[in-house]
Amino acid sequence: MKKILAACACFVLVATVKAQDGPKNVVKINPLGIFFGSASVAYERALSEKSSIVIAPSFGYIKSGGSKYTTFGLAAEYRFYLSQSKSAPAGWYLGPGASFASGSAKTTDSFNGTSEKVSVSGFSAKGIVGHQWLFNGGFALDLNAGIQYFSLNVKDNSEGIGNFNGILPALGFAVGYSF
């Protein structure tokens, strides 16, 4: 009797577990950010066959001459996958996104040794269209483009650097690993 109950329990357990059709997670980086002094790691998780969420913390650092720039940020996207033959996170997608970054710029005058520090914060909201390829072996490639509203606020502004609010292109490129 115990063997029959154990077999029934195993059958019920196996019958209720849904098979995973493919990778549901992607970890990726933007290799082009290195040229602009920025590092970003993104994590994408499929929520269903047609949607996913992306969380991407970022860090920026540039030191040139007497100037040093440091930023920290966080971005989030919700993606709607359009492909009928593939499930999230692979294929064509549309998505809204938002990001926030905060940082500082410190400049030192090499002649008189005085330095000045400026605080900066920024916010963006965007809409993108893109495609993500997931290859055998786990390699992932993500390309997207769209439009974003960008707002930049400069605090302690004695240099005359202005704030900025406007519409800009949104471009994305990332490589990573899917699992």
Side-chain angles (χ1 to χ4, degrees):
M1 184 67 169
K2 288 181 185 179
K3 290 181 182 181
I4 294 173
L5 287 175
C8 288
C10 287
F11 175 76
V12 169
L13 181 65
V14 170
T16 58
V17 173
K18 184 180 180 230
Q20 185 173 351
D21 296 324
K24 300 295 179 200
N25 302 289
V26 183
V27 176
K28 48 196 162 185
I29 62 168
N30 176 357
L32 298 178
I34 295 167
F35 297 114
F36 301 105
S38 176
S40 174
V41 176
Y43 171 71
E44 182 173 1
R45 170 74 181 166
L47 301 174
S48 70
E49 286 188 7
K50 298 296 177 196
S51 67
S52 72
I53 189 165
V54 179
I55 303 294
S58 64
F59 172 74
Y61 179 82
I62 298 175
K63 186 174 183 181
S64 176
S67 299
K68 180 172 75 169
Y69 307 92
T70 307
T71 61
F72 297 95
L74 184 64
E77 294 176 11
Y78 185 82
R79 293 182 173 180
F80 302 97
Y81 280 84
L82 306 172
S83 177
Q84 297 297 323
S85 62
K86 298 177 184 175
S87 63
W92 287 100
Y93 61 85
L94 299 171
S99 66
F100 175 79
S102 180
S104 64
K106 182 178 179 184
T107 58
T108 304
D109 188 336
S110 59
F111 293 112
N112 60 18
T114 61
S115 62
E116 182 177 358
K117 188 172 184 177
V118 177
S119 297
V120 179
S121 62
F123 168 80
S124 74
K126 67 180 178 178
I128 56 171
V129 60
H131 193 279
Q132 183 160 257
W133 294 268
L134 302 180
F135 299 97
N136 291 338
F139 180 74
L141 175 64
D142 185 6
L143 298 172
N144 62 61
I147 192 165
Q148 68 179 332
Y149 171 78
F150 186 76
S151 176
L152 180 68
N153 183 20
V154 180
K155 299 173 188 157
D156 304 324
N157 187 3
S158 63
E159 289 276 329
I161 303 170
N163 296 336
F164 175 81
N165 294 300
I167 306 278
L168 294 172
L171 301 171
F173 169 71
V175 295
Y177 180 75
S178 62
F179 55 98

